Amino acid sequence: MTDSVHQAFGGDYSGVDHHESVVGTPHLPHDGGPETIRFIDKDGNRIRNEVNLPYDPTVDAMTDEDAQDLYRDMVLIRRLDKEGTALQRQGQLGLWPGLLGQEAAQIGIGRAMAPQDYAFPGYREHGVAYCRGVDPLAVFGMYRGTTLGGWDPNAHNFHLYTIVIGNQALHAVGYAMGVQRDGDVGTGDPERDAAVVAFFGDGATAQGDINEAFVFAAVNQCPIVFFCQNNQWAISEPNETHTLIPLYQRARGFGFPGVRVDGNDVVAVYAVAKAALEHARSGQGPFLIEAYTYRMGAHTTSDDPTKYRDSAEVELWRLRDPIERVKTHLLWRGNTPPEFFDEVDQEANELAKRIRAAVQDMPDPSVSEMFDHVYAQEHPGLAEEKAWQAAYEASFAGSDDAEGGPR
């Protein structure tokens, strides 16, 4: 393992360096198989083959600046994610679900989406949130418990995080049916036609909600892309405990196309996502993308992966670092100066400093905020309750508590 890869995945934040465990027979996933769409090999070289053929034009059209932008996004998101883990360990956040290792999957599709597209995330899609313009502090505020929701979904076309596994897929299909009935699909107008993206993990595919969403999406030919980040572990359960076939093949049983893409290849994810989104926007119905990737860290900061997975497995995936892969590709292209990478690292450090300072200074929300955004329009009953709460709080103004301090 190279020092650069070890440093990229290691350090005090990731919780990976201390991952030393031997748990039964090592669960050693392959690279996704020959059906996996991949455009950059481990040495950064461009891959051309029959599987990639439909997506070649998109990749051929990408400039050095396009690839540099994807690299920058991935580095910034990894730094943001590491800061989230560090803040939680220091008691500043209640919980943090890390995305270490899944940066390419999230940035690839996040940058492929059009402004009018709408995303329905799970609870790990910090990279997609970043691409959609959600302030990272809004995400941190949710896990700190200082916001009563997080952000305005319609301001970014990015729904609130969904904690219930798989539930967001049903929300997404319902929204996609609305887009369809509003006539905003298949018109040929690139600024009007919209697609919806439902994000979930491999474990969620065993949930009834996902399968019900597939049924409704298929029979209604909804403009939706189902994006499964197969990070190999459904919390502590490996893939083979909940599926006997590659996950992308499930789409066939519901009557719509599905593909597997190398989720550690940001260029491949971007190209496949562009095609899938256009498929949905043009009125051809749903599409399933299985991004074959890996969760390098714990499921959340409350999890201990050493209890259920072997160190050899983690070591294998260290060498498939998605950031290192696109970096080697940029060097292979030969048009990116060395100082570019230093500048991106400095930008990432500045982002981390801003996050750390702002998170620690976040004020607690007022109790009255819980009455906001409950209904789409003003509700007289809720307004009455809000007024009662305000009067109740005001009744304590200037009074002392039992120990003589101000209330």
Side-chain angles (χ1 to χ4, degrees):
M1 174 174 46
T2 64
D3 290 340
S4 61
V5 174
H6 186 279
Q7 183 178 13
F9 272 139
D12 295 335
Y13 301 108
S14 67
V16 173
D17 273 350
H18 64 258
H19 194 301
E20 297 295 335
S21 65
V22 179
V23 186
T25 303
H27 172 80
L28 298 176
H30 52 75
D31 63 357
E35 72 270 31
T36 302
I37 300 162
R38 180 181 297 112
F39 278 94
I40 305 175
D41 68 16
K42 62 182 179 61
D43 298 318
N45 301 310
R46 170 79 151 81
I47 299 172
R48 293 185 184 276
N49 56 35
E50 188 175 347
V51 175
N52 292 349
L53 196 59
Y55 312 98
D56 273 336
T58 298
V59 178
D60 289 339
M62 294 181 68
T63 64
D64 292 316
E65 290 74 18
D66 293 332
Q68 289 168 3
D69 288 344
L70 293 173
Y71 174 85
R72 177 184 289 107
D73 287 340
M74 292 167 63
V75 171
L76 294 179
I77 286 304
R78 177 170 291 183
R79 191 66 182 85
L80 179 153
D81 181 59
K82 288 183 177 182
E83 198 63 31
T85 299
L87 286 165
Q88 194 283 328
R89 294 307 190 206
Q90 295 164 12
Q92 298 296 329
L93 303 178
L95 187 74
W96 184 254
L99 59 74
L100 185 64
Q102 297 178 223
E103 297 89 353
Q106 295 195 16
I107 295 301
I109 190 168
R111 288 308 182 197
M113 295 176 67
Q116 69 270 22
D117 294 337
Y118 208 107
F120 283 80
Y123 46 75
R124 198 187 303 278
E125 276 67 55
H126 318 316
V128 183
Y130 177 83
C131 291
R132 301 304 287 174
V134 176
D135 188 337
L137 291 176
V139 177
F140 280 96
M142 189 191 79
Y143 286 109
R144 187 173 171 85
T146 55
T147 69
L148 300 176
W151 52 86
D152 178 359
N154 292 327
H156 308 282
N157 278 16
F158 185 82
H159 199 264
L160 298 177
Y161 278 2
T162 303
I163 308 301
V164 180
I165 303 297
N167 200 219
Q168 68 274 19
L170 290 172
H171 301 162
V173 171
Y175 191 93
M177 291 171 67
V179 169
Q180 185 182 55
R181 284 151 177 75
D182 286 343
D184 293 331
V185 59
T187 70
D189 183 347
E191 296 184 1
R192 176 180 175 182
D193 290 340
V196 178
V197 184
F199 293 88
F200 50 89
D202 47 291
T205 61
Q207 292 285 108
D209 287 3
I210 296 294
N211 291 275
E212 292 163 9
F214 284 1
V215 170
F216 273 89
V219 298
N220 286 283
Q221 286 293 282
C222 292
I224 186 169
V225 173
F226 294 105
F227 190 79
C228 174
Q229 293 170 82
N230 180 358
N231 64 21
Q232 311 301 316
W233 287 94
I235 306 181
S236 60
E237 294 297 322
N239 279 178
E240 57 263 27
T241 64
H242 56 88
T243 184
L244 295 178
I245 64 171
L247 294 175
Y248 78 93
Q249 292 183 7
R250 292 210 177 167
R252 187 185 309 165
F254 293 90
F256 55 90
V259 299
R260 172 181 279 177
V261 62
D262 186 338
N264 285 24
D265 180 349
V266 68
V267 172
V269 175
Y270 175 81
V272 171
K274 290 279 283 188
L277 288 163
E278 182 54 34
H279 173 97
R281 290 191 208 105
S282 62
Q284 298 180 67
F287 198 106
L288 171 63
I289 299 174
E290 177 195 355
Y292 196 82
T293 181
Y294 193 77
R295 167 171 57 80
M296 286 298 299
H299 175 69
T300 70
T301 46
S302 65
D303 172 43
D304 180 5
T306 65
K307 300 295 185 184
Y308 56 80
R309 66 185 189 187
D310 194 279
S311 300
E313 173 184 337
V314 181
E315 188 67 20
L316 182 152
W317 282 95
R318 283 184 194 264
L319 302 177
R320 299 176 180 176
D321 181 359
I323 293 181
E324 284 296 306
R325 190 184 304 185
V326 75
K327 181 177 181 179
T328 58
H329 179 64
L330 285 169
L331 294 173
W332 174 80
R333 292 172 75 117
N335 297 316
T336 301
E339 55 267 25
F340 165 80
F341 302 104
D342 295 333
E343 291 169 0
V344 171
D345 288 341
Q346 182 58 35
E347 186 178 352
N349 288 334
E350 292 300 322
L351 174 63
K353 290 179 182 178
R354 179 175 76 87
I355 287 173
R356 172 166 291 277
V359 165
Q360 293 175 333
D361 291 337
M362 283 181 176
D364 292 333
S366 67
V367 176
S368 64
E369 288 183 34
M370 70 179 176
F371 297 99
D372 299 336
H373 311 299
V374 177
Y375 294 101
Q377 299 175 339
E378 185 173 350
H379 188 283
L382 199 66
E384 182 180 349
E385 291 176 5
K386 183 175 183 178
W388 183 93
Q389 175 65 34
Y392 177 74
E393 287 189 82
S395 70
F396 291 99
S399 65
D400 293 337
D401 61 20
E403 297 181 358
R407 292 184 64 91

